[in-house]
Amino acid sequence: MGSEEQRVIVGIEGNVDVREVARYILHIITTALSVKPSDCVLRNYTTITMGALNSMLRLFPELSNELRALAGKFTEIQEASKKLVGITDPGEYADTVINIFSVYNVDAGIYAVFAALQAMETAKVCGESDARFFLVRTLLAGSLPINMYRLLLDYLSLDHRFPTNLLKALLETINKQ
C-alpha cells in the first residue's frame, strides 16, 4: 500500500475510482494469501471436502443437477484449487481463481457455500482456527467476482443500476414465456 492509506469502499454508493476498487481487491487477495492450510487440513483434505459435498447435497437438493455436473470435474477443480496454496503474487492468484471459475463454469455462489461447508467440516475435524483457510476462500469467492464487476462498471462509467434493470427486463421476458 505504500504511504497511501487504504480507503474502505464497502458501503459507498455509486461509482468510485477504479484504483480504489483495485486496492480493495488487492486487500482481499492479500488476506487470502496470508492464510495457509494447517497440517491437519492437508492430511484431511479429502475427508473435509467429501463431508462438505455430502452436506451440500443434503442441504440443497435443488442444486443437485449443478453439483452433479461439477462432480465430474471435481478432481480437476480441486487440483487446480490446491495450486493456489503456493502462489504469492496477487495478480497471478486472481488470474488463477477466475480461470478456475471460468474454465469449469463454477458458480461463485455455489463455491462460496461449498467453501463455507468445508470450513464447518474443518472445524469438526481439525478445530475452529483451522477453518479460517476455507472461510477466506468463501470471502474471496463472494468478493472477487462482484468487485471485478464493480471495477468494470466504474471503469466504463456505467450507472450501477443499468445491469440490474437489464436483468429485471430479461427476467420479466423469460417469466412471460
Side-chain angles (χ1 to χ4, degrees):
M1 242 2 100
S3 63
E4 286 186 47
E5 185 179 315
Q6 181 180 344
R7 287 190 24 200
V8 175
I9 64 167
V10 176
I12 306 265
E13 281 188 43
N15 295 25
V16 296
D17 185 315
V18 294
R19 291 172 295 202
E20 294 298 327
V21 179
R23 281 187 191 98
Y24 181 71
I25 292 170
L26 177 62
H27 171 63
I28 297 300
I29 291 172
T30 303
T31 300
L33 289 172
S34 72
V35 179
K36 306 295 182 208
S38 68
D39 289 338
C40 182
V41 168
L42 293 173
R43 268 192 326 273
N44 295 291
Y45 200 88
T46 301
T47 301
I48 290 165
T49 299
M50 292 312 296
L53 184 59
N54 289 331
S55 292
M56 191 141 180
L57 285 167
R58 194 174 52 256
L59 293 168
F60 296 100
E62 60 271 24
L63 296 177
S64 63
N65 289 338
E66 289 83 354
L67 295 171
R68 288 189 204 318
L70 288 173
K73 296 288 183 182
F74 193 70
T75 303
E76 291 175 52
I77 293 169
Q78 286 302 306
E79 287 306 311
S81 295
K82 283 181 185 177
K83 290 177 185 172
L84 290 169
V85 174
I87 295 174
T88 57
D89 178 66
E92 183 182 352
Y93 191 88
D95 184 52
T96 303
V97 169
I98 295 303
N99 277 330
I100 291 169
F101 282 15
S102 59
V103 166
Y104 299 104
N105 199 21
V106 176
D107 181 292
I110 290 174
Y111 181 80
V113 170
F114 178 69
L117 290 169
Q118 283 180 301
M120 290 172 59
E121 289 293 321
T122 300
K124 286 191 264 183
V125 173
C126 299
E128 197 172 276
S129 63
D130 291 341
R132 189 166 191 250
F133 175 72
F134 291 107
L135 287 175
V136 77
R137 274 137 190 82
T138 304
L139 172 64
L140 192 65
S143 180
L144 191 56
I146 192 66
N147 281 298
M148 286 180 60
Y149 164 79
R150 185 173 182 184
L151 182 84
L152 180 62
L153 291 177
D154 290 347
Y155 181 77
L156 297 173
S157 299
L158 290 173
D159 183 333
H160 288 198
R161 291 176 302 220
F162 171 73
T164 303
N165 291 334
L166 177 62
L167 177 61
K168 284 170 48 179
L170 288 169
L171 291 173
E172 282 179 27
T173 302
I174 292 168
N175 198 28
K176 289 178 185 176
Q177 294 177 349

